Amino acid sequence: MLNTEQRNPHTTHIDKMSTADMMRVIQNENMNAAAAIEKELSRISAVVDAITERMQKGGRLFYVGCGTSGRLGVLDASECPPTYGVSYDTVIGIMAGGEAALSRAGEADEDSYEDGQRDLNAYHITKNDSVVGISVSGGAAYVIGALESAKKVGALTVALSCNEGCPIEQIADLGIHPDTGAEVVTGSTRMKAGSAHKMILNMISTAVMIKLGHVYENLMVNLEPSNIKLRDRMIRITCDITGLSYENAEKLLEKNDFSIRTAIASLQ
């Protein structure tokens, strides 16, 4: 039986626990999810370097998944453009069942190998692209179809699961498999496993974007002033870098089409 499908002895009688005890046992398992990532750091690093190498040649990063895994991939991809100023076709999330499945579960969608191939092939994958297949169990046919399709064209393939030696890991060039173990509610992998995968996807995209030059020191210098909060953040970032007052930093940005990089360059 898969580790993620086993019963958790710490929560066998969770239905009889007080709310406070329930929160404590869930939090203990949350901590275990974070701890499971520790053993995967070298694998995550290898994935980051491999993806970065291809993206420096013009490649794209794809996340492919089903259910919670798919939603997490779409979430991470959708947050890259506003955070790092990259285009929406730089990091792309593909989910079994399409956009409708983001808000309404379609559990059967993960069983179609052909749909996984079709949905990925629609993007005309090249050898410079990277495809991360996300499946907690590691056996989703949709993800397998996508990964095998990517391998045919020489794209980098990565398996993100919670079960070592699973089918997608046997297909992929690189694998990451945090052992998050049995869930609080048996088989509810949107919990610990999902939390671990969310953190790992954040780590991958953040590190790749840093290595591609979209971050100066630890500052987001490719932001777009698309709302009041981001405009204010851009001004404060410019203050941090230049030492200017808030008012003068705002004026500098206004003179330079609200581009932090251009504004800073104008002072050199």
Side-chain angles (χ1 to χ4, degrees):
M1 181 184 293
L2 297 174
N3 290 343
T4 49
E5 294 295 324
Q6 294 180 3
R7 293 190 69 181
N8 190 324
H10 302 296
T11 61
T12 302
H13 302 295
I14 195 170
D15 59 331
K16 301 296 192 298
M17 290 180 183
S18 68
T19 302
D21 288 343
M22 197 182 297
M23 293 305 99
R24 172 48 54 198
V25 75
I26 291 174
Q27 176 60 4
N28 286 343
E29 297 302 329
N30 288 340
M31 298 296 288
N32 289 337
I37 298 173
E38 185 73 27
K39 295 179 180 179
E40 300 302 303
L41 292 180
S42 62
R43 295 187 181 92
I44 299 170
S45 297
V47 166
V48 167
D49 287 340
I51 291 172
T52 301
E53 179 182 352
R54 285 160 178 79
M55 293 191 81
Q56 287 171 334
K57 299 175 183 177
R60 300 162 294 176
L61 170 58
F62 290 86
Y63 295 132
V64 182
C66 319
T68 297
S69 297
R71 293 183 190 98
L72 291 173
V74 171
L75 173 63
D76 196 77
S78 68
E79 292 178 343
C80 286
T83 306
Y84 301 110
V86 297
S87 67
Y88 279 92
D89 60 0
T90 301
V91 184
I92 300 167
I94 301 175
M95 180 171 180
E99 290 187 8
L102 288 171
S103 58
R104 186 180 294 272
E107 300 302 329
D109 294 325
E110 71 178 64
D111 294 332
S112 177
Y113 177 95
E114 292 76 17
D115 285 357
Q117 287 189 315
R118 180 202 64 205
D119 290 351
L120 186 68
N121 288 339
Y123 289 91
H124 306 291
I125 303 299
T126 75
K127 64 180 180 180
N128 288 329
D129 292 327
S130 302
V131 179
V132 179
I134 316 167
S135 171
V136 170
S137 69
Y142 183 89
V143 178
I144 292 173
L147 288 176
E148 290 192 342
S149 185
K151 282 191 76 73
K152 289 178 182 178
V153 298
L156 174 71
T157 52
V158 178
L160 176 55
S161 73
C162 284
N163 291 284
E164 184 176 2
C166 62
I168 65 169
E169 191 167 88
Q170 293 175 26
I171 295 167
D173 300 309
L174 298 170
I176 302 169
H177 47 256
D179 183 5
T180 52
E183 293 287 357
V184 167
V185 175
T186 306
S188 182
T189 53
R190 73 183 186 89
M191 300 185 77
K192 276 195 302 184
S195 295
H197 280 186
K198 173 68 165 62
M199 287 187 276
I200 290 169
L201 292 173
N202 284 166
M203 293 168 79
I204 291 172
S205 59
T206 299
V208 167
M209 291 298 145
I210 292 170
K211 293 176 75 69
L212 290 175
H214 298 297
V215 174
Y216 173 75
E217 294 182 348
N218 63 349
L219 300 171
M220 295 182 285
V221 290
N222 284 353
L223 288 171
E224 296 289 339
S226 54
N227 61 28
I228 294 173
K229 178 189 72 175
L230 293 179
R231 180 184 173 93
D232 173 69
R233 182 180 293 163
M234 292 178 71
I235 296 170
R236 289 186 287 104
I237 287 173
T238 304
C239 291
D240 286 342
I241 295 173
T242 65
L244 292 171
S245 67
Y246 189 95
E247 293 75 15
N248 287 335
E250 184 175 21
K251 290 178 182 178
L252 180 65
L253 285 169
E254 288 173 344
K255 291 178 182 178
N256 290 278
D257 298 322
F258 245 83
S259 165
I260 296 175
R261 287 188 181 276
T262 305
I264 294 171
S266 72
L267 295 177
Q268 299 174 348

